Structures are given as structure tokens and as C-alpha cells.
Amino acid sequence: MTKIVNIKKGLDISIRGTAATSATIDVTPATCAIIPDDFPGITPKVDVKEGDEVVVGSTLFHDKAYPDIKVSSPVAGKVTAVVRGERRKLERIVITPGSSPAASLDFEVKDIDDRTRAARLLLDSGLWAWMRQRPYNIVPAPGAAPRDIFITGFDSAPLAPDYEMMLAGKAKELEAAITLLSKLTDGTIYIGVREGSCLEALKGVETVIVNGPHPAGNVGVQICNVKPVNKGDIVWTMDALTLLRMGKLVTTGKLDMSVTTALTGCEVTEPHYITTTVGADMKSVLKGAVNNDDIHHRVISGNVLTGIPVSEEDYLRFPYNQVTVIAEGDDFAEFMGWASLSPQKMSVSRSFPGHFFKRKFCPDARILGGRRAMIMSGVYEKVMPMDILPEFLVKAILARDIDRMEQLGIYEVAPEDFALCEYVDPSKLELQKIVQEGLDYLRKELS
């Protein structure tokens, strides 16, 4: 059965630097790191120490509240650093690959015929931590069964990687993963795709064809337009690349932690794809790929809307499949600053000539304006294709009004759903940060 969802609200940001799919380069990382902050909801307790030898699938840390939730090593080698920050907070675990970096633990994949064994496989392998739960956008707890599972089969963000290239010809592994997930829920498994996708013919799922601009690829938008999350509901989410990783585990008994990453953006010399390892060091990833133009660069692990700014001393961040490099913008002056009428300036406002040009732009990382009190202009609703009132929800979060937050739909959202609102916001508010703080506050108060 196929559903069709037509999204009218939203915005496709036209940026130069899409990765070419013609060739993929293999990159061997010097080191890899797993960062606990990439797994929201987990309070990590370390299971390794510096000098330990690990293989792919070895447990690096587990959750204090739910010890069965583990995060595993992406590579075989030696633990060379367990880095802690203020108040002994675990910041990252660094592994240096050995002579056989793909050496993996063997996992029992036979006779998985019930929920307990299916959950055990995902928990032991560490792939459980790659799923997310609505509400709260956290790693799901092992106890409760989800109402439904939603999988997003495409990414609509600026310069997003091409899932079709990475998933074509993988129907066997994908359907094996779907069979595994079907043992974890009595509800429906939905997969959101574009029309003509290679995922349309998958068995065991209800296909949802989603048409329209970004954020059509956000799983929260797909949930809201198919079967919204109400108070008391639990829904699990993931992307199709995580589904493929689960399928490879089920069919081979080994954990495949290789990853195809798109190097994108105006400051990448020749945007392309690389094949590397989860958590690879950015120095290896970016070697020889960035323009040598003597300007400051903003390196983002992810896309320009939701990604995390990193340096060359940092590492690929979850979900590991995109790196964007743009100009920082702090080392050159522009006539009239933010008010410049240059046609090179990208803007959603009709006040700027660039709004009317159908071309690809090269933006930089400047805010182009100052933070100020929220302006109730209705601009959020123009790019938010969800049945909520984003401005009023943000105000309720800032006021820490739990009843109002519930009434306005906080259980349906995650920070990424407000990324476009943050982009068009004339007040320059950090909406994604505000929403995440609201979700954390709500979870703490209601737990």
C-alpha cells in the first residue's frame, strides 16, 4: 500500500557544491572517535581504557540508566585516548586503527524469531543507539514497544547525499532489516521516499511518497503528515542508511561500520563522495579537498542547517554521511554589510535582488544581523509543513509552560524540524537549541 503526501510549505536552499556521484574515493582515517553527545539520552559509562585493543563491535561505553544500551567501536585497533572535559564529562573515545581495521565480532543472527532476540542483537551490536524515539528525540529505551517505526528514505537538506546511489541493489539487506524490525513493533513500519525511488518496491513496509521542498525529508514532517505522535505514543525513527547497516548485520553476522560521505560546499575543490569509517578524523577526510584560497573556512559535519561546526582536529559526527565547507565570512568586509543589495547575496526576502535569481549561491557563515526579541511575523509558518504553531510553541518552551508545550505539539518535534525557521528568522534566535532545551526539560520533569 502506498500513500502520497504533498508538501507545499518549505524551502529548498540553492547552494553550489553538490557532490558528484561519478566516482567515490577511499579514505583511510588516521584515527576514529565516538562522541557520546551524538547519542542523546545516553549517560555514558566507559567500558574501555587507554591502551585496550578493540575490534569492530566491541563495547566502548554503555548507558548508566539502561546498561543494555551500548555504543560500539567502529574500527579494530587500539584505544589511544579517553578524553574528558569539565566535571569529568566524557567527550570522546579515540581509536587508532590496527593492521586489520575491519576485524569484527561475530554476532548470532540465526533463529531470531521474537522481540527479545531481535532487541538483543541490536543492543549487543550497538546499532540500537542509532535509532531515535519521538517524543524527545533520544535513543529509545529497551523496555517499551513503539506504536510505529518511521524510516526516511531520502534527505532533502541543502547539498544532501544521494541515498539512491548508496541503496541501489541492496533490497535483500533492507528487507532483512525490515523483517528484524517487524519483531519489535505490533504497529506499522513506514518508509518515506521520493517518487521513482529504488525503495518503493520493498516488502514489509508501508511506502509513503513525499513530494515537495525541504523539510520533506525530515522524518518528523513525514510522521506529522501520516500519523502524528500524541501524548503517550512512542515512535521510533531512523534513516534508510541505518536500516541498511542493520540488514548487513542480519545477513552476515558482522558489523559493517564503513560509511559513504559526501564532501560538499563552495569551498570544496571538487565536491565528491568518499568511503571511510564511522567517526573518521576530519584531517584525513578533508586532505587535499578544500580550496587553498587564504580565507577562513567553516567546516560543518552535516549540512548547513543542522550540522555541527568542527575543526580539522575533530571527527565526523553522527550520522556521518555529509561534510560541508563554506566560507566563514569573518575575514572580509562587504559594502553596506547585511543590507547589501548585491545579487550575489542569497535571501528569502523580496527586498534583495538575489531572491529573484534562479542560481546557486555561495553563502558564508555570518548571521547578518543581530539577535533581538521575537518578532511575531508569521514567517516560521511559511517554511514549517507541520500542523503546529511554531512561534507559540517556542514561546511556551522559553516560558517552561509544560501544559502549553503539550497542547502546541512538542511531542511531535525535534530540533531539525525548526532548522528552516531558524534560517528565515529575522530575530536570529537559536531555535534548534531552544527546542532541544525544551525537550530535555520536559523529559526531566515528566520522568
Side-chain angles (χ1 to χ4, degrees):
M1 183 178 177
T2 301
K3 292 186 176 182
I4 299 178
V5 173
N6 295 310
I7 302 295
K8 294 184 178 180
K9 294 182 179 180
L11 178 66
D12 285 328
I13 301 176
S14 184
I15 301 176
R16 199 171 73 212
T18 303
T21 58
S22 54
T24 301
I25 300 173
D26 291 331
V27 172
T28 302
T31 58
C32 297
I34 292 295
I35 299 172
D37 284 350
D38 290 339
F39 304 93
I42 287 182
T43 303
K45 186 170 184 180
V46 182
D47 292 304
V48 294
K49 59 182 183 296
E50 292 183 10
D52 284 356
E53 295 286 341
V54 295
V55 296
V56 178
S58 298
T59 301
L60 298 179
F61 60 85
H62 66 269
D63 183 27
K64 287 183 179 180
Y66 297 97
D68 285 342
I69 300 179
K70 305 169 185 177
V71 176
S72 56
S73 173
V75 68
K78 180 182 289 188
V79 177
T80 49
V82 178
V83 181
R84 294 184 181 273
E86 295 181 3
R87 299 186 179 183
R88 301 283 295 167
K89 177 187 176 182
L90 179 63
E91 292 189 345
R92 61 184 178 272
I93 297 177
V94 183
I95 305 103
T96 300
S99 56
S100 301
S104 172
L105 293 177
D106 291 319
F107 295 93
E108 180 57 55
V109 295
K110 294 181 179 179
D111 302 323
I112 300 179
D113 52 7
D114 59 20
R115 172 180 168 79
T116 301
R117 294 185 181 182
R120 178 52 53 194
L121 175 63
L122 294 179
L123 288 165
D124 288 345
S125 66
L127 289 183
W128 186 282
W130 288 50
M131 297 189 291
R132 295 293 177 265
Q133 171 194 299
R134 298 285 173 104
Y136 307 130
N137 192 42
I138 59 173
V139 175
R147 184 201 71 191
D148 300 299
I149 298 176
F150 279 80
I151 303 162
T152 180
F154 68 99
D155 191 343
S156 59
L159 306 178
D162 183 3
Y163 280 20
E164 294 294 303
M165 180 195 74
M166 293 181 267
L167 298 172
K170 305 295 184 181
K172 178 183 176 182
E173 292 89 345
L174 293 168
E175 289 179 354
I178 290 167
T179 300
L180 179 74
L181 291 175
S182 67
K183 303 184 188 306
L184 299 175
T185 179
D186 295 327
T188 305
I189 300 176
Y190 296 92
I191 184 163
V193 300
R194 291 294 198 189
E195 189 171 2
S197 169
C198 65
L199 305 178
E200 279 191 65
L202 289 179
K203 300 176 182 178
V205 294
E206 184 165 323
T207 304
V208 181
I209 296 176
V210 188
N211 302 313
H214 184 65
N218 284 8
V219 70
V221 172
Q222 296 170 18
I223 294 172
C224 181
N225 285 275
V226 175
K227 194 175 180 181
V229 178
N230 297 311
K231 186 175 182 180
D233 289 343
I234 293 176
V235 170
W236 292 354
T237 70
M238 70 186 75
D239 61 33
L241 300 179
T242 299
L243 184 72
L244 176 60
R245 203 174 300 277
M246 292 178 179
K248 290 180 178 179
L249 173 64
V250 172
T251 54
T252 66
K254 294 182 180 293
L255 197 57
D256 180 6
M257 298 298 266
S258 63
V259 63
T260 300
T261 301
L263 299 187
T264 65
C266 301
E267 293 301 317
V268 175
T269 307
E270 295 182 2
H272 61 280
Y273 286 84
I274 64 170
T275 299
T276 186
T277 306
V278 163
D281 65 295
M282 294 301 299
K283 187 173 291 186
S284 298
V285 169
L286 296 175
K287 185 177 181 180
V290 180
N291 292 339
N292 185 18
D293 49 11
D294 297 324
I295 66 172
H296 296 166
H297 294 141
R298 170 71 64 92
V299 180
I300 304 167
S301 185
N303 63 69
V304 292
L305 293 176
T306 63
I308 301 172
V310 296
S311 71
E312 287 195 2
E313 305 305 318
D314 289 323
Y315 297 85
L316 268 180
R317 303 293 295 269
F318 185 87
Y320 313 113
N321 55 27
Q322 183 179 0
V323 174
T324 308
V325 187
I326 60 176
E328 184 70 52
D330 63 347
D331 54 345
F332 59 87
E334 183 178 19
F335 177 65
M336 295 179 67
W338 66 267
S340 169
L341 297 180
S342 168
Q344 304 297 323
K345 183 182 293 296
M346 181 176 65
S347 178
V348 296
S349 171
R350 294 176 180 269
S351 301
F352 293 85
H355 174 84
F356 301 97
F357 287 89
K358 301 298 181 182
R359 59 187 294 269
K360 293 187 180 295
F361 294 87
C362 281
D364 54 50
R366 290 176 295 171
I367 294 178
L368 297 178
R371 292 186 176 90
R372 59 183 71 83
M374 182 184 291
I375 301 170
M376 302 294 285
S377 60
V379 68
Y380 297 171
E381 283 86 348
K382 295 179 181 179
V383 296
M384 170 70 83
M386 301 174 72
D387 189 20
I388 63 173
L389 299 172
E391 290 176 337
F392 293 95
L393 177 55
V394 169
K395 292 179 70 175
I397 292 172
L398 292 171
R400 295 296 188 263
D401 186 338
I402 292 178
D403 289 339
R404 190 70 172 147
M405 289 157 64
E406 291 180 340
Q407 293 167 6
L408 291 168
I410 193 168
Y411 293 120
E412 298 184 51
V413 302
E416 65 177 12
D417 299 320
F418 281 76
L420 274 178
C421 298
E422 185 174 297
Y423 172 70
V424 302
D425 182 18
S427 300
K428 312 298 181 183
L429 298 178
E430 295 180 286
L431 298 179
Q432 294 181 79
K433 181 180 178 182
I434 290 170
V435 171
Q436 186 60 62
E437 289 174 350
L439 290 169
D440 292 342
Y441 173 79
L442 191 66
R443 183 164 63 95
K444 181 180 178 181
E445 291 296 311
L446 298 183
S447 62

